[in-house]
Amino acid sequence: MRGNSFEAKVKADGGRELLRLLGVEEPGGVSVPDLTAAGPEGRVARTALALREATGSGGWTLLDHPLLALEVAGSPVYLEPDAVVVRPDGGWTVVEIKSFPTVDGSADAAKVGAAARQAAVYVLALERVAAVTEGARVAHSVLLVCPKDFSNVPTASVVDVRKQRAVTRRQLGRLTRIDEIAEALPEGVSFDVAERSPEELTASVESVPHQYAPECLAACELAFHCRARSREAGAVETLGRSVRGELGGLTTVGAVLAAARGEAGDPDDPAVAALRRARALREEALASAPARMPREHVECPC
Ligand code: SF4
């Protein structure tokens, strides 16, 4: 609710408030076209038309929640920036409104970085429309609007997203196309949630491999499922990619424990040597610990 009311405040006065943040004190008339249309394709087409009309109008236009399309791995993905401002000279600027504060002129660097990466994707999507719009030019600097200090007063800063744009473009170019991935699926596998029963969907999910890592928990709805499979298999990836990297050829928890106990593993392997040393230190610490300290492994709640 706070975010919504802040966004409404930023876009108040028919878009003039936002243009003031952009440094335009007297924008004259600001056009705010209606972008409603049926379905995402309709909204994308309506946005493209509004951008074309605005570019040739010679005035200021604010597109409130336009819808853009970008091809990702051969499939269209729909993106909705908070706003796009069209300048009288045909320049298009992405506006990203965030609810994290700018305190004493600076904001959380990680959050600003995430907002810049997000805005860079919008810039790439806008460039596709600009390529077929005469006189259009997409700015590689975006306007980031945040609440000032701990108030609800908006303040804006211009963020250069050239680097993020270049990185995202390169990453998108390297993605394997979805149809190539689909071709590699076993016969009869389908993830059609509308057509398939829960049992069939479960069987389909079970039939494909996974690459679980704790990072999945923050990004993927299948994370608990993949984590359970990964734990069942005793895969060390459940402990994190960095741990996996440290353990070299030891890929399961069982193999790690056997190596630590001296039951398996090459003693010249640095990972095996480090595990044995760690086990010896642990035994030593437990032997000298007060009796009330738990000696058994306690499962970490996280
Ligand atoms: S949780 Fe999602 S991203 Fe992670 S391995 Fe499973 S399907 Fe892939």
Side-chain angles (χ1 to χ4, degrees):
M1 283 174 68
R2 184 167 178 261
N4 287 346
S5 83
F6 179 65
E7 188 172 329
K9 193 176 166 71
V10 172
K11 292 176 181 170
D13 197 12
R16 282 180 189 77
E17 181 64 35
L18 186 50
L19 291 184
R20 266 177 226 124
L21 291 169
L22 204 54
V24 185
E25 285 301 330
E26 291 302 329
V30 181
S31 168
V32 185
D34 178 13
L35 300 177
T36 49
E41 289 95 348
R43 286 185 61 200
V44 168
R46 180 72 195 90
T47 297
L49 180 66
L51 282 165
R52 270 198 292 279
E53 287 173 353
T55 305
S57 72
W60 289 93
T61 303
L62 172 68
L63 272 69
D64 188 5
H65 285 281
L67 197 70
L68 306 167
L70 185 68
E71 194 173 289
V72 176
S75 246
V77 169
Y78 297 106
L79 309 159
E80 191 173 326
D82 289 327
V84 171
V85 171
V86 180
R87 296 169 175 272
D89 65 0
W92 300 354
T93 303
V94 171
V95 179
E96 200 44 39
I97 301 169
K98 293 292 180 196
S99 53
F100 59 81
T102 298
V103 181
D104 286 340
S106 63
D108 184 322
K111 289 179 178 166
V112 172
R117 286 193 295 277
Q118 185 183 347
V121 184
Y122 299 148
V123 168
L124 282 174
L126 266 181
E127 282 175 347
R128 287 163 51 95
V129 188
V132 291
T133 307
E134 202 181 326
R137 186 174 39 79
V138 183
H140 289 170
S141 292
V142 303
L143 191 73
L144 179 63
V145 184
C146 298
K148 189 175 178 196
D149 299 325
F150 298 103
S151 69
N152 208 22
V153 176
T155 182
S157 46
V158 175
V159 180
D160 186 340
V161 297
R162 275 177 299 179
K163 195 170 144 218
Q164 291 84 350
R165 176 188 161 277
V167 170
T168 309
R169 209 160 96 131
R170 211 166 43 241
Q171 287 174 337
L172 287 175
R174 285 207 306 246
L175 283 180
T176 310
R177 290 179 61 86
I178 289 176
D179 43 14
E180 287 172 30
I181 297 171
E183 267 172 29
L185 289 176
E187 194 68 33
V189 164
S190 168
F191 301 103
D192 188 341
V193 289
E195 295 290 324
R196 299 299 173 116
S197 68
E199 292 74 26
E200 287 172 317
L201 288 169
T202 306
S204 292
V205 172
E206 295 286 353
S207 70
V208 293
H210 63 90
Q211 291 289 331
Y212 175 78
E215 291 83 355
C216 294
L217 289 168
C220 182
E221 290 172 1
L222 283 172
F224 290 122
H225 170 82
C226 292
R227 184 175 68 176
R229 282 178 73 187
S230 194
R231 281 180 174 172
E232 255 170 50
V236 290
E237 281 84 354
T238 49
L239 305 171
R241 289 198 175 108
S242 58
V243 177
R244 170 76 192 83
E246 299 270 338
L247 290 169
L250 304 168
T251 55
T252 64
V253 174
V256 171
L257 292 175
R261 289 191 200 108
E263 298 160 3
D266 176 0
D268 293 334
D269 180 337
V272 173
L275 283 166
R276 288 183 186 170
R277 173 91 183 116
R279 182 164 190 266
L281 287 171
R282 180 176 182 272
E283 296 285 311
E284 204 180 298
L286 286 178
S288 61
R292 66 175 183 281
M293 277 185 71
R295 289 179 175 227
E296 293 307 312
H297 164 72
V298 179
E299 187 155 353
C300 175
C302 68

